[in-house]
Amino acid sequence: MKRIAVIAGDGIGIDVTREAVKVIEALKKLGGLEVDLKEFDWGAERFLRDGISMPPGGLDMLRNEFDAIFVGALGDPRIPDMRHAADILLGIRFGLDLYANVRPVKLISRKLTPLKDRTEQDIHFTVFRENTEGAYVGMGGNFKKGTADEVAIQEELHTRKGVERIIVYAFEFARKNRLKKVCMSDKSNVMRYGHDLWQRVFKEVSGRYPEIEPSHLYVDALTMQMVKNPGQFEVIVTNNMFGDIVTDLGAALQGGLGLAASGNINPEVTSMFEPVHGSAPKYAGKNIANPLGAILTSAMMLAHLGFEPEAKRIEDAVKDSIDQNVTTTDLKGKYGTREVGDFIAQHVIAAR
Ligand code: NAD
Ligand code: IPM
Ligand code: MN
């Protein structure tokens, strides 16, 4: 039995997680999917109520008692500094050392992409975002805060070990999937220390994978190429902040944030899975949010736990919903979050 911790979080995170859970529970009726889901109320409501974001011992509990973690989204306008989200979301990423943020960009149907004349073959790559350092370490401070002379310093941190392991992870993924190209993106023309380290490590690591063609793009050029000619990419590896930005662009290429899935992975410990989108407060609780990104994220999680056939069933059912236009309004459909979830839950158990 695999144990999964479910943290729906805030806003539409709650709406889409309900549907992902519905799909997993439906699949369990087929027999064979031995997973046990346990829900946690960590998020803005609880934080505002009792001041607790991640309860004491929460991280150790996740590490020791669970095989995977599913997160909906965190973020609430009533907590503008994102304190609770930093504790929970970044707390899990950093605390469990989940160094590989894996974000597939896969066009399911050509009718979904905003790019003219692009097909499923053109938009099919995976972004590996470094997930434990870079600009996200929160190192810095203020001097003379609130005055006209204010100084703010925000550091970016890159370690040899951190850069190497994400680049190796990306190359290993390429090798395992018989892919031929890995593109590393940075801004080493300006960031002469941190991103220069990426340059040197990438060069060294790529030498260990002679069958794979390494390439490099500065991140500004990368964003242009992702729009102009996305078919050139198979694997992209980049730092934490750039990975955040280019995966929203990647989400747009595949039809929007409502479709994009991600995994925060360290092969040695309990990994965490979450849709790429946030809590979209204006849609919260209104049966509007697209649950497909969360549902595809649950497929990624099940595959990670060794339930490949079940993951494939989810992906097939998502394709059915798109082919049959059983989608939410962001995909030009006329259905609600729950109705799309119901459709997937029925289709995952249908005979094929
Ligand atoms: P967002 O992803 O929540 O929403 C941006 C826009 O994308 C929405 O207004 C909506 O038009 C669209 N969208 C996103 N998800 C959708 C879905 N499932 N279905 C339909 N449309 C969808 O980003 P934001 O507005 O910048 O951030 C809102 C809050 O979420 C903030 O507090 C932010 O910090 C947080 N956030 C959390 C996560 C996370 O938990 N992983 C990720 C991103 C943002
Ligand atoms: C994401 C989000 C997070 C990030 C925020 C909410 C901290 O945008 O998962 O992409 O920047 O990593
Ligand atoms: Mn993001």
Side-chain angles (χ1 to χ4, degrees):
M1 180 67 72
K2 300 282 187 194
R3 299 199 68 207
I4 300 169
V6 177
I7 303 163
D10 306 328
I12 64 164
I14 296 169
D15 307 341
V16 300
T17 299
R18 193 180 296 124
E19 303 314 313
V21 167
K22 188 190 279 176
V23 169
I24 293 176
E25 293 296 347
L27 270 170
K28 281 168 73 175
K29 295 192 198 117
L30 286 176
L33 181 58
E34 301 205 330
V35 297
D36 186 40
L37 307 180
K38 185 166 164 49
E39 302 199 18
F40 292 90
D41 66 349
W42 306 354
E45 276 311 327
R46 169 133 189 227
F47 183 68
L48 290 167
R49 199 169 63 232
D50 59 18
I52 290 176
S53 49
M54 162 106 65
L59 212 50
D60 283 336
M61 177 197 68
L62 293 174
R63 188 192 339 257
N64 299 327
E65 298 173 25
F66 290 91
D67 299 289
I69 306 158
F70 185 93
V71 174
L74 288 150
D76 187 299
R78 293 171 296 174
I79 310 169
D81 67 357
M82 287 278 283
R83 186 68 255 153
H84 73 301
D87 289 352
I88 299 168
L89 187 71
L90 300 182
I92 293 173
R93 289 182 187 168
F94 284 81
L96 297 180
D97 201 27
L98 306 178
Y99 65 88
N101 194 328
V102 183
R103 297 188 157 184
V105 177
K106 188 174 177 203
L107 181 61
I108 297 172
S109 164
R110 64 192 66 181
K111 69 185 176 190
L112 296 178
T113 187
L115 297 186
K116 192 160 149 257
D117 299 332
R118 292 299 178 189
T119 69
E120 296 80 352
Q121 282 71 44
D122 297 316
I123 300 171
H124 189 181
F125 57 91
T126 307
V127 179
F128 290 83
R129 165 186 177 189
E130 201 293 317
N131 213 30
T132 52
E133 44 187 55
Y136 278 68
V137 292
M139 289 169 69
N142 298 87
F143 179 52
K144 299 188 180 175
K145 190 172 179 183
T147 73
D149 296 325
E150 175 159 355
V151 178
I153 293 180
Q154 184 98 42
E155 298 285 2
E156 231 185 78
L157 180 142
H158 305 270
T159 68
R160 165 83 212 192
K161 200 176 92 183
V163 174
E164 179 164 358
R165 66 183 179 174
I166 185 66
I167 291 176
V168 167
Y169 197 90
F171 273 99
E172 285 295 322
F173 173 89
R175 177 172 275 177
K176 206 176 313 145
N177 291 283
R178 297 200 170 77
L179 299 172
K180 293 280 166 246
K181 293 187 280 191
V182 174
C183 176
M184 192 275 280
S185 187
D186 61 26
K187 191 73 187 166
S188 50
N189 47 352
V190 175
M191 307 295 274
R192 290 303 304 143
Y193 307 109
H195 296 199
D196 180 64
L197 176 64
W198 276 76
Q199 284 278 333
R200 287 180 281 120
V201 175
F202 183 68
K203 196 154 182 241
E204 186 189 313
V205 171
S206 63
R208 302 178 212 154
Y209 298 85
E211 79 279 19
I212 296 169
E213 181 197 325
S215 66
H216 170 263
L217 282 173
Y218 297 124
V219 71
D220 44 356
L222 171 68
T223 55
M224 182 192 66
Q225 288 297 336
M226 281 173 68
V227 172
K228 229 178 129 184
N229 179 17
Q232 70 187 286
F233 299 112
E234 292 183 346
V235 170
I236 294 171
V237 61
T238 189
N239 66 62
N240 208 340
M241 175 77 88
F242 293 171
D244 178 46
I245 297 166
V246 304
T247 53
D248 265 32
L249 173 54
L253 299 182
Q254 56 185 317
L257 271 170
L259 275 170
S262 84
N264 298 257
I265 295 171
N266 178 332
E268 309 290 318
V269 300
T270 305
S271 291
M272 186 257 280
F273 298 81
E274 51 167 346
V276 173
H277 67 73
S279 57
K282 68 179 180 203
Y283 293 157
K286 295 190 176 147
N287 200 35
I288 288 175
N290 186 350
L292 294 179
I295 290 170
L296 287 168
T297 297
S298 72
M300 227 178 142
M301 176 175 70
L302 294 184
H304 178 83
L305 292 173
F307 300 108
E308 267 94 4
E310 286 82 1
K312 175 83 168 54
R313 279 182 170 272
I314 295 177
E315 285 164 9
D316 289 345
V318 167
K319 174 132 179 41
D320 290 344
S321 81
I322 288 166
D323 288 345
Q324 297 174 34
N325 297 318
V326 181
T327 54
T328 42
T329 48
D330 55 315
L331 300 186
K332 302 197 172 69
K334 56 179 196 298
Y335 294 86
T337 311
R338 281 190 294 277
E339 289 68 36
V340 173
D342 288 342
F343 178 95
I344 305 290
Q346 283 154 19
H347 277 242
V348 285
I349 54 175
R352 292 204 176 261

